[in-house]
Amino acid sequence: MAEHPEEQPEEHESSAVLDAAHVGDIHGAFGTIREHDLDSRRSWTARLLTLLAIMGPGLIVMVGDNDAGGVATYSQAGQDFGLSLLWTLPLLIPVLVVNQEMVVRLGAVTGVGHARLINERFGKFWGAFSVGDLFILNFLTIATEFIGVSLALEYFGISQYVSVPVAAVTLVAMTASGSFRRWERFMFVFIVVNFLVIPLAFLSHPSPGPFFHGLAIPGVHGGFNSTSVLLIIAIVGTTVAPWQLFFQQSNIVDKRITPRWINYERADTVLGSLITVFAAALLMAVVASAFQGTPLVGHFTNAGGVASGLQHQVGRAAGAIFAIILLNASIIGAASVTLATSYAFGDAFGAKHSLHRSWRDAKFFYGAFTAMVVLAAGIVIIPGAPLGLITTGVQALAGVLLPSATVFLLLLCNDKEVLGPWVNRTWLNVLASVIVSVLLIMSLILMVTTLFSSIDVTTLAEVLGILLVIVYLVAGAVMLRNRSGRPPVPVVPMERRATWRMPPLNLLERPTWSRGRLIGMYLLRIYLVVAVLLLLVKAIELGLHH
């Protein structure tokens, strides 16, 4: 039976929630919280039990981000650049936490998904662009997950013509059970398997000294060039991906998490980000340590080649564990990315979209999920497809498109009609703006180095960094001048914040954009189109080179 109430319009007529399945008790993998629970939870035991019931969306979105593309990208970094790119990973923790914390508030306070908010607040033009970007990127990402399934089970001698269809059927069956709790428990099984990276690290025993040096000291083995910059952007794109914003917001709504439980979901998100970066760093270190001083250095092909290399350099157990990690990452990644797209389609077309609903009750939602899985799986089993190149290219594409997604996120989190007392504070806006600008600079470096391959990447990065600091100083001076004459913003009591929900979207006033902001958004869109085209050029160039 599906775990959703019968249609209850009286429960959500005063809010923006459209689907009655998004209202009611929280049915988590490890506990239930009643809809009108008002207990104070003063003891640590009560708080821990509450966290266990709430926990899920943050952990799943973060661990799901260490998907097949992530495993391949971290492995490539370790094989081709040793430990010299480890420093990129700790820097991504604040990016993950800042982006996803904003998503946590949007989901809990508004009760609607990311795609619907963009569509309703900024119009169908920008909504179509955002969902269109998401669909293209997610579909390609789902294909990389099935590439991971194929490579992982090929290591054990299972043909892709068997492994990929079986994985596709498993994904659909696991998701379309009509029970949110059952689906979330499936996801936690994959989260636990993710920790197999620890025994893998013991088998390859990377040296602690070089490991911590790589984490703390920025640098690139062989120097910065267009190829290394492409890989750095791929690391960013696979660790902080646009689909995460859409997935976690909709999953929070689907789990029925409200503002009262935001702090618990924040803890879930922070824990997930730490686990993600920890696993990514160990994977990179394992491959770097195992391949150091061997002919395999600098000759990455795909994740399957890494499994075979580990078997030869470390032992059969290491190769098998890596293949299992790759398979696990592929399944949880495919489940999360496909679900993010199905949620977005449900938002865009106003269809029922909840894991609490059965297939019969949400045909469009599960039908879209199944169609994407089948099509992506079909692409992967086409003979001769350049699997390794597709995987790296998709991660880099995610890195290039991320600034656009983050800009919309930032605009929504400063929309008082949407978040009321939960809007961003000034310090968070500053931090998020720095993140967006750094991501833009990285994609700009990729563009320039693609057009002019002989350019000194280090000098270019220094020049752009100086320009960015100047922009920050000017913007900071203007902001301080504008704030000096404003009265302080009154503090809203937590009791009111815990019960504040966004009203129905049709009752809200549309935000008005200044001419400057509108021009800036169009310039960003044009820039991203050019960046994507140049990324395609770079990917083809690398494909011809290999």
Side-chain angles (χ1 to χ4, degrees):
M1 293 291 290
E3 293 178 351
H4 69 86
E6 296 302 315
E7 300 302 319
Q8 299 173 355
E10 71 277 3
E11 292 287 347
H12 56 89
E13 278 183 349
S14 59
S15 73
V17 177
L18 281 180
D19 195 327
H22 295 159
V23 177
D25 299 342
I26 295 172
H27 296 288
F30 304 112
T32 298
I33 298 176
R34 299 300 175 191
E35 180 183 359
H36 301 295
D37 185 333
L38 298 176
D39 286 352
S40 58
R41 288 169 172 76
R42 297 184 183 276
S43 72
W44 284 105
T45 301
R47 291 174 183 174
L48 178 60
L49 291 173
T50 303
L51 176 61
L52 288 172
I54 296 291
M55 194 168 64
L59 270 170
I60 293 167
V61 75
M62 296 297 186
V63 176
D65 204 39
N66 276 358
D67 59 356
V71 171
T73 303
Y74 306 138
S75 300
Q76 181 178 2
Q79 183 171 347
D80 291 354
F81 295 92
L83 298 174
S84 66
L85 293 181
L86 269 174
W87 57 272
T88 60
L89 296 173
L91 295 178
L92 293 176
I93 293 176
V95 181
L96 283 167
V97 172
V98 167
N99 276 0
Q100 298 306 126
E101 189 279 335
M102 287 192 281
V103 167
V104 166
R105 278 181 286 126
L106 281 174
V109 174
T110 67
V112 300
H114 204 65
R116 186 177 170 219
L117 275 182
I118 293 174
N119 197 59
E120 293 286 344
R121 299 304 287 161
F122 305 125
K124 293 182 179 180
F125 173 79
W126 295 106
F129 264 125
S130 296
V131 175
D133 284 350
L134 180 78
F135 173 72
I136 294 169
L137 179 58
N138 282 11
F139 181 74
L140 293 172
T141 304
I142 297 162
T144 68
E145 311 303 357
F146 283 110
I147 290 172
V149 169
S150 170
L151 295 173
L153 291 178
E154 189 178 282
Y155 177 85
F156 297 106
I158 301 174
S159 167
Q160 66 176 358
Y161 299 107
V162 175
S163 62
V164 172
V166 169
V169 171
T170 302
L171 268 173
V172 174
M174 185 175 67
T175 305
S177 67
S179 167
F180 186 99
R181 170 173 284 167
R182 192 177 300 124
W183 170 84
E184 194 169 77
R185 285 174 176 169
F186 278 128
M187 293 298 102
F188 271 103
V189 171
F190 296 117
I191 289 172
V192 171
V193 175
N194 181 67
F195 285 96
L196 281 175
V197 71
I198 296 175
L200 182 60
F202 277 110
L203 289 172
S204 66
H205 47 80
S207 301
F211 176 77
F212 288 109
H213 180 273
L215 279 176
I217 308 300
V220 178
H221 178 70
F224 285 94
N225 53 49
S226 60
T227 301
S228 60
V229 170
L230 175 65
L231 185 56
I232 290 172
I233 292 177
I235 291 172
V236 174
T238 192
T239 310
V240 190
W243 68 263
Q244 293 174 269
L245 309 179
F246 291 82
F247 173 85
Q248 190 171 3
Q249 183 168 336
S250 290
N251 201 237
I252 284 170
V253 173
D254 205 5
K255 192 165 182 176
R256 304 163 177 168
I257 294 172
T258 61
R260 175 169 170 74
W261 314 111
I262 278 180
N263 284 337
Y264 291 97
E265 183 52 31
R266 282 170 171 161
D268 175 38
T269 301
V270 172
L271 180 61
S273 69
L274 294 174
I275 290 173
T276 294
V277 170
F278 168 76
L282 280 189
L283 272 175
M284 200 180 291
V286 161
V287 177
S289 175
F291 293 176
Q292 185 179 15
T294 73
L296 294 171
V297 172
H299 295 91
F300 174 83
T301 53
N302 54 48
V306 173
S308 299
L310 287 173
Q311 178 183 351
H312 289 103
Q313 300 299 326
V314 182
R316 184 174 296 177
I321 291 175
F322 183 87
I324 293 170
I325 290 171
L326 176 61
L327 176 63
N328 180 73
S330 304
I331 297 296
I332 192 172
S336 303
V337 178
T338 312
L339 190 57
T341 317
S342 298
Y343 276 140
F345 281 168
D347 274 331
F349 296 105
K352 295 176 181 177
H353 53 292
S354 173
L355 292 170
H356 292 283
R357 294 188 178 277
S358 65
W359 184 293
R360 179 179 297 178
D361 203 25
K363 295 183 181 69
F364 178 84
F365 175 62
Y366 291 118
F369 185 98
T370 304
M372 282 183 289
V373 166
V374 170
L375 288 173
I379 288 175
V380 172
I381 59 178
I382 295 174
L387 304 185
L389 182 61
I390 291 173
T391 300
T392 304
V394 168
Q395 308 316 313
L397 178 62
V400 168
L401 292 178
L402 182 62
S404 175
T406 307
V407 165
F408 279 112
L409 175 62
L410 198 52
L411 291 173
L412 287 171
C413 284
N414 283 279
D415 190 335
K416 291 184 179 179
E417 294 279 320
V418 169
L419 283 184
W422 290 97
V423 291
N424 279 2
R425 296 182 181 180
T426 302
W427 68 267
L428 184 56
N429 283 329
V430 171
L431 183 56
S433 299
V434 170
I435 289 170
V436 173
S437 56
V438 170
L439 292 171
L440 278 171
I441 281 183
M442 290 180 65
S443 61
L444 180 60
I445 291 172
L446 177 63
M447 284 179 61
V448 174
T449 54
T450 301
L451 288 173
F452 309 101
S453 57
S454 61
I455 197 166
D456 187 323
V457 179
T458 303
T459 303
L460 176 62
E462 289 174 351
V463 170
L464 291 174
I466 291 170
L467 290 174
L468 185 60
V469 170
I470 293 172
V471 170
Y472 288 157
L473 291 174
V474 172
V478 171
M479 186 175 68
L480 288 174
R481 188 184 67 181
N482 292 339
R483 281 173 57 90
S484 60
R486 293 179 185 174
V489 179
V491 177
V492 179
M494 189 58 205
E495 293 77 13
R496 182 170 181 270
R497 283 158 58 90
T499 58
W500 198 93
R501 302 298 300 273
M502 183 182 74
L505 281 162
N506 61 347
L507 300 182
L508 304 185
E509 291 186 14
R510 274 278 183 89
T512 55
W513 282 4
S514 65
R515 185 183 298 272
R517 176 175 287 186
L518 192 60
I519 292 172
M521 291 299 294
Y522 277 114
L523 287 175
L524 175 63
R525 177 59 58 179
I526 293 169
Y527 168 76
L528 289 175
V529 169
V530 174
V532 169
L533 291 175
L534 288 175
L535 174 62
L536 180 62
V537 170
K538 183 64 181 178
I540 293 172
E541 177 189 315
L542 289 175
L544 294 174
H545 176 71
H546 285 293

